[in-house]
Amino acid sequence: QVQLVESGGGLVQTGGSLRLSCAASGLTFSNYAMGWFRQAPGKEREFVAVISRTGGGPYYGDSVKGRFTISRDNAKNTLYLQMNSLKPDDTAVYHCAAGSYSHVEEGYAYWGQGTQVTVSS
């Protein structure tokens, strides 16, 4: 079955960096656009970034633009999210997803369980 497994989350201070990974299996990774979403406690899930099947056209949510970079390695079936200049508002569970090139949840067919990112002030 399809599995998306996130890793790389943790506790970091304001201004710090983290790199998230999402390992995919059970699907032809290069056939799917890949996205990152996040959900903070008590808030709706928020779009973070999306990348096309071939790695082109990265698109970011306004709150992370200029700080986060999405990338993928189709040879390794892995998606990445480099997060720099982290702020307390970035604290959330981060989920990767596979589907169409979209900034809304409905565009994605498969989801990972998520990895916690906590930014201390």
Side-chain angles (χ1 to χ4, degrees):
Q1 76 274 20
V2 175
Q3 281 195 312
L4 301 176
V5 180
E6 301 93 337
S7 61
L11 174 64
V12 64
Q13 291 186 331
T14 296
S17 298
L18 283 174
R19 188 195 197 199
L20 305 185
S21 298
C22 169
S25 61
L27 78 171
T28 304
F29 185 68
S30 59
N31 284 354
Y32 292 86
M34 297 295 297
W36 286 100
F37 288 76
R38 66 186 184 185
Q39 188 164 21
K43 296 187 177 181
E44 293 187 352
R45 192 171 290 184
E46 175 189 14
F47 167 76
V48 174
V50 62
I51 192 167
S52 74
R53 293 175 297 168
T54 58
Y59 179 76
Y60 300 92
D62 288 343
S63 60
V64 307
K65 204 171 294 183
R67 300 188 296 123
F68 290 11
T69 302
I70 188 172
S71 62
R72 65 189 294 163
D73 186 337
N74 285 349
K76 295 182 178 180
N77 290 350
T78 303
L79 174 73
Y80 303 99
L81 185 69
Q82 178 66 44
M83 305 186 296
N84 298 329
S85 303
L86 284 161
K87 307 173 183 179
D89 284 350
D90 294 319
T91 295
V93 176
Y94 284 70
H95 299 268
C96 64
S100 59
Y101 186 85
S102 174
H103 67 284
V104 298
E105 296 179 55
E106 290 75 16
Y108 294 87
Y110 304 107
W111 291 83
Q113 292 291 331
T115 186
Q116 176 71 47
V117 171
T118 303
V119 184
S120 64
S121 56

